[in-house]
Amino acid sequence: LSSPKRTSTVSLSSSMASSDEGAVFNLSVSSFLKILKGDITKWSVDSSSDAIVTPANERMLGGGGADGAIHRAAGPQLRAACYEAPEVRPGVRCPTGEARITPGFNLPASRVIHAVGPIYDTDDNPEKSLANSYRNSLRVAKENDIKYIAFPAISCGIYGYPFDEAAVISISTIKEFANDFKEVHFVMFADDIYSVWVNQAKKVLSTA
Ligand code: AR6
């Protein structure tokens, strides 16, 4: 496993190195999935080609949870950039299952991908919507030459998605893009969800 170049001054990996490097899995011979514990607003691996995903809502102007933390850390320019995204219908800049990209502004990561996951209790097909939010995030990342991307557990907070089901869907969808990224990371805020993701990754992927 060759270590990626770390150019950022604020690197989640280096700040975690002494206590917990997380869990590493193979996506392909030259591409890895890493599951880490930490705060996604602090994450960067290579500021020339990295992005974090924010679990947004359809308005795409910020909110609570990880999205709120990401907007606070990025600064007000992020919200201004979001306003620039055209509305596809009144009040909707990013429909459920889709993704949009902006710069990261004051974040250590160079770009932010705004992905809208399903509200578990009200979505007609939450599995499909959740898979689409990962798929479209990875698509937009690929189109923008992103090589390192970090996800939180989309829809697993305010939107109420059960952790186990979300873990299987997210990891299986990321597998479809095995050759397109050097590393795909999950940055988990809490021990319980971190463990769920590691256990499901063990079932879906092989250990690196
Ligand atoms: N770093 C990593 N993960 C985090 C962080 C962080 N700093 N903060 C929270 N999480 P949520 P959703 C975890 O609620 O369910 C917002 O208002 C959190 O513990 O952020 O997709 C948006 O604007 C959980 O595991 O996103 C939308 O309106 C995961 O991130 C709505 O919430 C996702 O929880 C989206 O809800």
Side-chain angles (χ1 to χ4, degrees):
L1 168 57
S2 63
S3 218
K5 196 161 57 101
R6 294 202 164 88
T7 52
S8 170
T9 50
V10 186
S11 160
L12 178 72
S13 304
S14 63
S15 68
M16 290 175 60
S18 57
S19 55
D20 187 356
E21 274 286 6
V24 185
F25 300 87
N26 275 114
L27 286 169
S28 71
V29 283
S30 58
S31 160
F32 302 95
L33 179 83
K34 289 191 181 177
I35 304 171
L36 308 167
K37 261 185 279 184
D39 177 353
I40 200 164
T41 67
K42 303 206 161 28
W43 182 94
S44 176
V45 167
D46 176 352
S47 57
S48 66
S49 67
D50 64 14
I52 62 170
V53 176
T54 189
N57 55 57
E58 291 190 328
R59 283 179 75 222
M60 217 187 98
L61 295 175
D67 195 31
I70 287 166
H71 273 263
R72 279 193 299 280
Q77 284 171 293
L78 181 60
R79 192 178 157 95
C82 287
Y83 264 117
E84 300 290 313
E87 288 185 338
V88 295
R89 51 179 193 271
V92 175
R93 289 177 185 75
C94 187
T96 300
E98 296 190 16
R100 305 282 185 265
I101 192 166
T102 65
F105 300 105
N106 296 337
L107 288 163
S110 69
R111 316 291 283 274
V112 177
I113 294 170
H114 306 255
V116 181
I119 300 173
Y120 186 71
D121 282 342
T122 56
D123 198 278
D124 289 341
N125 190 342
E127 284 182 29
K128 184 174 170 204
S129 297
L130 188 65
N132 280 341
S133 68
Y134 281 96
R135 196 171 285 127
N136 285 317
S137 296
L138 293 161
R139 243 181 230 155
V140 82
K142 190 177 160 185
E143 285 163 11
N144 284 273
D145 295 324
I146 298 297
K147 294 294 168 200
Y148 300 91
I149 181 168
F151 286 94
I154 297 173
S155 285
C156 287
I158 294 163
Y159 281 180
Y161 216 108
F163 297 172
D164 274 304
E165 293 173 36
V168 175
I169 291 165
S170 64
I171 296 161
S172 310
T173 306
I174 286 166
K175 236 177 123 175
E176 296 170 15
F177 292 79
N179 296 311
D180 297 321
F181 298 92
K182 290 182 180 162
E183 295 184 11
V184 178
H185 293 193
F186 277 101
V187 182
M188 301 318 214
F189 216 37
D191 289 346
D192 56 349
I193 195 159
Y194 170 83
S195 302
V196 169
W197 246 257
V198 171
N199 287 334
Q200 293 300 344
K202 282 179 186 161
K203 293 180 194 164
V204 178
L205 304 168
S206 62
T207 309

